[in-house]
Amino acid sequence: MKPKIIKTQNEYSAALARIEEIFDALPNTSEGDELELLAFLVEQYESKEFPIDLPDPLAAIRFRMEQKGLKSKDLVPYIGSPSKVSEVLSGRRTLSLTMIRNLSEGLGISAEVLLRKPGASLDSNALSLYAAKFPVAEMAKRGWFSGFRGSVREAREQLEDLIAAFVAPLGQDALSPMLSRQHVRTGTKMDEYALTAWRIRVMAVAAREDVPRYAEGSVTREFLRDMVRLSYLEEGPRLAREFLRKNGIHVVVEPHLPRTYLDGAALRLPNGAPVVALTLRHDRLDNFWFTLAHELAHVALHLDTGKVDAFFDDFDGRAADKFEREADVFASDALISSREWKESGLSRSHSESQVKALAERLRISPAIPAGRIRFERNDYRLLGNLVGKKRVRCLFTTAGEK
C-alpha cells in the first residue's frame, strides 16, 4: 500500500497488515523507510482513536502521598482544612481550581491528571492573574457568586472557581481590565479591577434579559424627548426603563463598587445589543434623567458608530474630552432644547415658580430644569427641594429585577 494519513478503520487494518509483511525489513532500504513511516502513521491514528485514560485524580493524590510518606493532615496547606481534605479524599468534594493549582505546584502532580484533560496546564492566565485583585468580599456580600453561600475566607479559597463561573456567560476575554476600546470619564483614580467586576456583573445581568432586537440608529433626539416626557409621571424612571427595553436597549441598575465612583455606563453585549447601566449613586431625579440621557447619547453618537465599545461615567467634574462633551450637549438638548432653554430665561434668573412653570409647559419633571440651573451655576445648594432627592432608588430593587 502507498503510505498516507490513516483516517478509517479499514486503512488502519491495511497498514497493520503491510507492517506485518515487511516487519523484518532492513533500515535504510525502501521497505525499511516504508516500515518506519507506516509505524509512525499507525501510532498517530492509535493515539487519536484509542487514547489511554488519564489516572483518576484521587488515585494520583494517594499515590503521591504514599511516595512522599504524607498523611491527610499534610494536605491541609494545599486543600484548605482537615474537613476539606477528608471530603476530597472520600470523593464527597470535587477539587477546585485553587486546590488543583496548589497540589500541582506543591506535590508535582500534573495539571492534566488533576483536571483529567490531556495537555491541560495551569500556566498564568487572565483568570489566575486578575482573580485575586477583584473586590471579592464585596462581590460575595452582594451574592454575585451564584450558588455560593460561604464566608469570605471560603470564597478566597475557591476564588478561581468562583471567578471562572462569574465570567462564564461572557467568556474569559471579559476579564481584561484594560480594554482597548473602553473610555472612563472620572477625575478620581479608579480601581480598574473593581470596574471590571462591575462591568462583568452588569453585562451578565443584561444578557439574561429578554428584549427585542435593537435597531442601530434608533436613538435620536426625538427618541430621547419621547422618553423624557415620562419624567412628568411619578413612576417615570421605571417607565423609562420599560420604554428602552421595548426598543431593544438593556437597562440595568447595579450600585457601584467601592473605588469606582460611577454614575452610569454605556456598554455593548457580544451580540451588539446596547446596555445602559445606572448606579443611582446620587439618589436624585435630576441626576437620574441626565445620566440616562447621557449614556443614551453615547449609544447614539459613539457605540452605534463603532467609535468606542464601552463608556464609564461619573459627573462629579466637567467633561474633559470630545466624546464626553458631545454626549453632554446631546443629552442636555434632548432634556430641554437649547431654544426652549434660551427662551425660558432661567439661565439668567430663576425662581421655584419659574422652574415649575417651564416644567409644566414642557410636561417634564421640574427636577430637570432645576438640575440644569445647579450645574450651570456650579451651585448645588440651589433649588434643593425640586431635584427629587430620594425619589429614585425606591423605584428599583436590584440588578436582577425584571
Side-chain angles (χ1 to χ4, degrees):
M1 65 174 289
K2 182 178 180 180
K4 64 175 184 177
I5 295 174
I6 300 171
K7 299 179 181 178
T8 67
Q9 181 65 38
N10 288 339
E11 292 174 349
Y12 174 64
S13 298
L16 291 178
R18 178 58 178 162
I19 287 174
E20 188 174 350
E21 288 179 13
I22 60 175
F23 190 77
D24 295 325
L26 296 174
N28 300 319
T29 64
S30 60
E31 285 190 340
D33 291 342
E34 182 186 356
L35 175 63
E36 186 178 357
L37 179 55
L38 283 172
F40 173 78
L41 294 172
V42 164
E43 182 181 351
Q44 293 297 304
Y45 180 79
E46 288 177 342
S47 65
K48 178 181 177 183
E49 297 296 322
F50 316 118
I52 299 173
D53 286 341
L54 290 167
D56 177 76
L58 291 185
I61 293 171
R62 290 186 183 280
F63 177 73
R64 189 52 52 90
M65 289 173 67
E66 184 178 344
Q67 272 188 324
K68 292 180 173 288
L70 302 177
K71 298 184 182 299
S72 296
K73 65 179 182 179
D74 298 318
L75 298 186
V76 169
Y78 310 112
I79 292 179
S81 69
S83 62
K84 287 181 181 177
V85 171
S86 176
E87 290 172 354
V88 166
L89 293 179
S90 65
R92 299 196 307 273
R93 179 188 285 264
T94 58
L95 292 169
S96 70
L97 285 173
T98 303
M99 293 175 189
I100 289 171
R101 185 179 297 281
N102 291 340
L103 290 166
S104 181
E105 294 176 355
L107 297 183
I109 305 172
S110 71
E112 65 176 357
V113 169
L114 295 171
L115 292 167
R116 301 213 74 176
K117 292 181 181 179
S121 68
L122 285 171
D123 294 336
S124 293
N125 53 33
L127 189 62
S128 61
L129 288 173
Y130 300 146
K133 298 182 180 181
F134 284 171
V136 178
E138 184 65 22
M139 295 167 71
K141 177 183 174 183
R142 295 189 183 192
W144 287 8
F145 301 131
S146 179
F148 176 74
R149 297 293 180 270
S151 65
V152 172
R153 177 184 173 185
E154 290 171 321
R156 294 191 186 282
E157 288 175 353
Q158 49 186 294
L159 184 56
E160 286 190 53
D161 302 80
L162 293 176
I163 296 298
F166 178 65
V167 305
L170 304 174
Q172 277 205 31
D173 287 347
L175 273 171
S176 175
M178 298 305 292
L179 292 178
S180 59
R181 289 170 55 79
Q182 78 176 18
H183 179 93
V184 179
R185 163 181 171 159
T186 178
T188 311
K189 183 171 176 55
M190 184 174 288
D191 182 334
E192 60 185 5
Y193 296 96
L195 178 64
T196 298
W198 185 85
R199 168 173 54 81
I200 293 170
R201 166 66 176 176
V202 163
M203 293 179 72
V205 170
R208 297 198 298 264
E209 291 182 341
D210 183 18
V211 301
R213 185 178 181 85
Y214 171 71
E216 286 192 356
S218 59
V219 179
T220 62
R221 281 183 173 82
E222 290 70 29
F223 176 92
L224 287 187
R225 284 171 183 157
D226 286 342
M227 180 196 73
V228 170
R229 290 188 186 98
L230 296 171
S231 70
Y232 189 66
L233 306 173
E234 287 293 324
E235 293 280 310
R238 286 174 62 93
L239 295 172
R241 180 177 63 175
E242 182 180 352
F243 172 83
L244 293 171
R245 285 178 172 176
K246 285 184 179 297
N247 284 277
I249 300 171
H250 297 273
V251 179
V252 177
V253 174
E254 180 63 61
H256 74 296
L257 286 171
R259 299 188 303 280
T260 57
Y261 316 102
L262 286 174
D263 287 298
L267 313 162
R268 211 179 257 290
L269 289 178
N271 65 7
V275 180
V276 170
L278 305 171
T279 68
L280 307 185
R281 182 166 66 111
H282 302 293
D283 186 4
R284 303 192 318 266
L285 286 171
D286 67 316
N287 183 267
F288 171 85
W289 289 107
F290 182 80
T291 302
L292 183 61
H294 180 94
E295 304 310 335
L296 289 166
H298 279 314
V299 172
L301 300 174
H302 308 127
L303 267 62
D304 278 0
T305 57
K307 294 178 180 177
V308 180
D309 289 332
F311 285 86
F312 301 92
D313 296 303
D314 80 63
F315 299 106
D316 289 341
R318 302 277 170 160
D321 62 68
K322 178 183 176 184
F323 286 155
E324 297 301 343
R325 287 194 296 271
E326 289 174 345
D328 281 350
V329 170
F330 193 99
S332 294
D333 194 55
L335 293 168
I336 303 174
S337 74
S338 54
R339 178 184 59 79
E340 291 166 333
W341 187 245
K342 183 177 180 180
E343 290 176 354
S344 74
L346 292 179
S347 60
R348 296 184 298 276
S349 64
H350 68 273
S351 66
E352 285 193 15
S353 60
Q354 288 174 308
V355 171
K356 290 178 179 178
L358 175 64
E360 189 66 29
R361 180 164 60 82
L362 298 180
R363 288 294 190 268
I364 61 174
S365 167
I368 293 174
R372 185 160 177 172
I373 290 169
R374 285 154 60 99
F375 176 79
E376 290 186 354
R377 299 282 183 88
N378 195 28
D379 187 347
Y380 294 92
R381 298 168 298 177
L382 300 173
L383 303 170
N385 61 335
L386 292 185
V387 293
K389 294 178 181 177
K390 298 184 179 180
R391 296 269 302 280
V392 185
R393 285 184 200 151
C394 60
L395 298 175
F396 299 94
T397 55
T398 67
E401 182 194 22
K402 297 297 181 183

